Amino acid sequence: MEAVDRIAVCETPLDVAGEYAALQGSSGDGACALFVGNVRDFNAGRDVCGLALEHYPGMTEKSLQGIISDARSRWPLGRVTIVHRVGPMQINDEIVFVGVTSPHRQAAFAACQYIMDRLKTEATFWKHETISDQSGNTLQRWIEARASDAAEMEKWSAG
Amino acid sequence: MEAVDRIAVCETPLDVAGEYAALQGSSGDGACALFVGNVRDFNAGRDVCGLALEHYPGMTEKSLQGIISDARSRWPLGRVTIVHRVGPMQINDEIVFVGVTSPHRQAAFAACQYIMDRLKTEATFWKHETISDQSGNTLQRWIEARASDAAEMEKWSAG
Amino acid sequence: MVKVLFFARLRQQLGREETILADFSGSLGDLRETLCEQHPDWRPHLQREDIRMALNHALANTGDRVRAGDEVAFFPPVTGG
Amino acid sequence: MVKVLFFARLRQQLGREETILADFSGSLGDLRETLCEQHPDWRPHLQREDIRMALNHALANTGDRVRAGDEVAFFPPVTGG
């Protein structure tokens, strides 16, 4: 088990196949859990034409590093990768890739989910959508944070 | 959300990138959770030179289909893929790929983990290893089922 | 006719992957007992507590009824994934 | 000198992404009050209950001490992933 972290914030499309190959490549671990989030074509009742993400350079990377460190203190992990896209993107584009290897399946799943739950509530990214209303007009709208994401984080404190 | 199942038992190397692309491609879902299991280079204190899997053709596919159906009855899922390799394989080869898409991150994670937990305890695959002992001899050994895998299944009944 | 299959370690212990019972009627437990009477050296392997039984590709119990044309299988705990 | 950054909806509401306080000393709460006094139209936005504050790239509270050279940021709840 080789502990290597990869954190990247990028404006280019995510290369899921490449990230997976690098993650699994020489990890020596038996288990690999991955999560990929992408732009949905429907959100809160209106059609999404496109989406853009901004972030807080410096703080983002620092918060992601802190999340990975905390995950490593909870589970035996090999490689951990977080890649998050920023800038303008289209429907079905991949926004985030989280990959974790571990000798143990349950640890890989738990760590991957933990990282996503914390990323959602702590990492300094903000989305805004371009939406078209029924008359065909487009407008920009900042996505509101969801209470359900905060609720998901609660379960990690209880344990 | 388009409900499509893919179940494959194959003797050739798994194409994780291709399986992911097919899964995510046109799912329209925001969340995709994946698990990949591969051959570890160390197991129960001896070096593993290689591994082979046999299965029960017919029953294997039926049991995987049943597991997917049960997962679909528990969570809102889009596409679900299970690919399992059989026959001889080498260290670091991928043995199993499970991929799930869903509109919801928690559902995708839970379903992926549920499928793996049930696959481990129900799907009719058997592994045997070729191991080398300290004197350099090689021998075949059937892998024993682990009590921890059965214990993991318990948690899905409790809920 | 009932077809009986053996897998993995059990297949190697019995030295064969299948056997045919030309004329059998009874429960799955009866079927196992019939095999053990025909092959006394199979008994310690077939009656191990961890051996699973399947009937027509579904897990089954000793009380389940076996009919002509059915496929039965015996195997150790699964170890895939 | 303290650099203050604004992000996302808050950046658009204030119409700028950063401001500099040339000579500031006090708590993060004091800093926010100073900004609100200099720009009365910012107050309803900066004092919204859901606005987060960061000090040198870490989440911070009104009681935290701000020193020369620090970087402060105000932003709404995050929505990445």
Side-chain angles (χ1 to χ4, degrees):
Chain A
M1 192 167 77
E2 183 195 3
V4 178
D5 298 339
R6 169 166 155 73
I7 293 172
V9 177
C10 59
E11 297 200 26
T12 50
L14 300 197
D15 173 15
V16 172
E19 295 296 343
Y20 168 73
L23 185 75
Q24 183 77 290
S26 57
S27 75
D29 287 324
C32 179
L34 308 171
F35 179 83
V36 184
N38 58 10
V39 183
R40 281 180 285 185
D41 60 356
F42 204 77
N43 203 343
R46 303 207 210 181
D47 285 318
V48 176
C49 319
L51 183 134
L53 268 121
E54 74 175 63
H55 79 120
Y56 182 177
M59 182 160 174
T60 306
E61 293 81 355
K62 185 178 171 184
S63 66
L64 295 178
Q65 187 59 64
I67 293 168
I68 293 179
S69 299
D70 290 348
R72 288 192 181 281
S73 72
R74 287 172 172 246
W75 298 282
L77 306 179
R79 292 171 173 242
V80 179
T81 295
I82 303 177
V83 185
H84 204 295
R85 190 166 166 195
V86 294
M89 58 196 79
Q90 304 298 317
I91 289 170
N92 286 328
D93 279 359
E94 287 125 347
I95 300 175
V96 61
F97 173 96
V98 173
V100 171
T101 74
S102 172
H104 306 294
R105 176 171 94 254
Q106 310 302 340
F109 273 121
C112 191
Q113 192 162 8
Y114 173 86
I115 289 170
M116 274 306 301
D117 286 352
R118 285 197 54 188
L119 184 155
K120 278 272 186 184
T121 52
E122 293 177 37
T124 44
F125 296 99
W126 299 273
K127 285 192 189 93
H128 73 266
E129 294 176 328
T130 307
I131 52 185
S132 62
D133 65 15
Q134 290 176 334
S135 7
N137 301 318
T138 62
L139 57 155
Q140 305 279 319
R141 192 184 58 144
W142 289 97
I143 302 290
E144 296 292 327
R146 291 186 304 185
S148 63
D149 286 324
E152 287 301 332
M153 265 318 298
E154 294 297 317
K155 70 173 180 285
W156 301 108
S157 321
Chain B
M1 191 169 75
E2 183 197 3
V4 178
D5 299 338
R6 167 165 158 73
I7 292 172
V9 177
C10 61
E11 298 201 24
T12 50
L14 299 197
D15 173 14
V16 171
E19 295 296 344
Y20 168 74
L23 185 76
Q24 183 77 289
S26 57
S27 75
D29 287 324
C32 178
L34 308 171
F35 180 83
V36 183
N38 60 7
V39 183
R40 282 180 285 183
D41 60 356
F42 205 77
N43 206 341
R46 302 205 212 183
D47 286 317
V48 177
C49 319
L51 183 134
L53 269 120
E54 74 174 65
H55 80 121
Y56 181 177
M59 181 159 176
T60 305
E61 292 82 356
K62 185 178 171 184
S63 66
L64 295 178
Q65 187 60 63
I67 293 168
I68 292 179
S69 299
D70 291 348
R72 287 192 181 281
S73 72
R74 287 173 172 245
W75 298 282
L77 305 179
R79 292 171 174 242
V80 179
T81 296
I82 303 177
V83 185
H84 204 295
R85 190 165 167 197
V86 293
M89 57 196 78
Q90 304 298 316
I91 290 171
N92 287 328
D93 279 0
E94 287 124 347
I95 299 175
V96 61
F97 172 97
V98 173
V100 171
T101 74
S102 172
H104 306 294
R105 176 171 94 255
Q106 308 303 339
F109 273 121
C112 191
Q113 191 161 8
Y114 172 86
I115 289 169
M116 273 306 301
D117 285 352
R118 284 197 55 188
L119 183 153
K120 278 273 186 183
T121 52
E122 293 178 36
T124 44
F125 296 99
W126 299 273
K127 285 192 189 92
H128 74 267
E129 293 175 327
T130 307
I131 52 185
S132 62
D133 64 16
Q134 291 175 333
S135 9
N137 300 318
T138 64
L139 59 155
Q140 304 278 320
R141 191 185 59 146
W142 289 96
I143 302 288
E144 296 292 326
R146 289 186 306 184
S148 63
D149 286 324
E152 287 301 331
M153 266 316 298
E154 294 297 316
K155 71 173 180 286
W156 300 108
S157 321
Chain C
M1 189 195 89
V2 175
K3 186 170 163 185
V4 183
L5 304 174
F6 309 107
F7 290 94
R9 188 187 61 224
L10 186 62
R11 170 177 55 72
Q12 289 195 319
Q13 287 166 334
L14 307 191
R16 69 166 76 185
E17 62 187 28
E18 81 172 68
T19 189
I20 302 289
L21 289 175
D23 189 27
F24 173 82
S25 161
S27 71
L28 194 47
D30 297 337
L31 184 146
R32 183 174 61 181
E33 185 55 29
T34 301
L35 292 175
C36 291
E37 285 169 6
Q38 292 179 356
H39 309 269
D41 54 319
W42 289 10
R43 189 178 293 277
H45 305 302
L46 276 182
Q47 290 196 334
R48 267 184 66 139
E49 200 185 356
D50 66 354
I51 292 298
R52 268 66 164 154
M53 295 173 289
L55 180 59
N56 298 326
H57 295 168
L59 285 176
N61 299 307
T62 50
D64 291 328
R65 193 85 197 158
V66 181
R67 293 180 173 77
D70 283 351
E71 180 175 301
V72 168
F74 293 86
F75 46 79
V78 301
T79 55
Chain D
M1 188 195 93
V2 176
K3 186 171 166 185
V4 183
L5 305 175
F6 308 108
F7 289 96
R9 189 188 60 222
L10 185 62
R11 171 177 55 71
Q12 290 195 319
Q13 288 166 334
L14 306 192
R16 69 166 77 184
E17 61 188 29
E18 81 173 66
T19 188
I20 302 288
L21 290 174
D23 187 30
F24 173 81
S25 162
S27 71
L28 195 46
D30 297 336
L31 184 147
R32 184 175 60 183
E33 186 54 31
T34 300
L35 292 174
C36 291
E37 284 170 7
Q38 291 179 357
H39 309 269
D41 53 318
W42 289 9
R43 189 178 293 278
H45 305 302
L46 276 182
Q47 290 195 335
R48 266 184 67 138
E49 199 183 359
D50 67 354
I51 293 297
R52 268 68 163 153
M53 295 173 289
L55 181 59
N56 298 326
H57 296 168
L59 285 176
N61 299 307
T62 50
D64 291 326
R65 193 86 197 158
V66 180
R67 293 179 173 77
D70 282 352
E71 180 175 303
V72 168
F74 292 87
F75 46 81
V78 300
T79 56

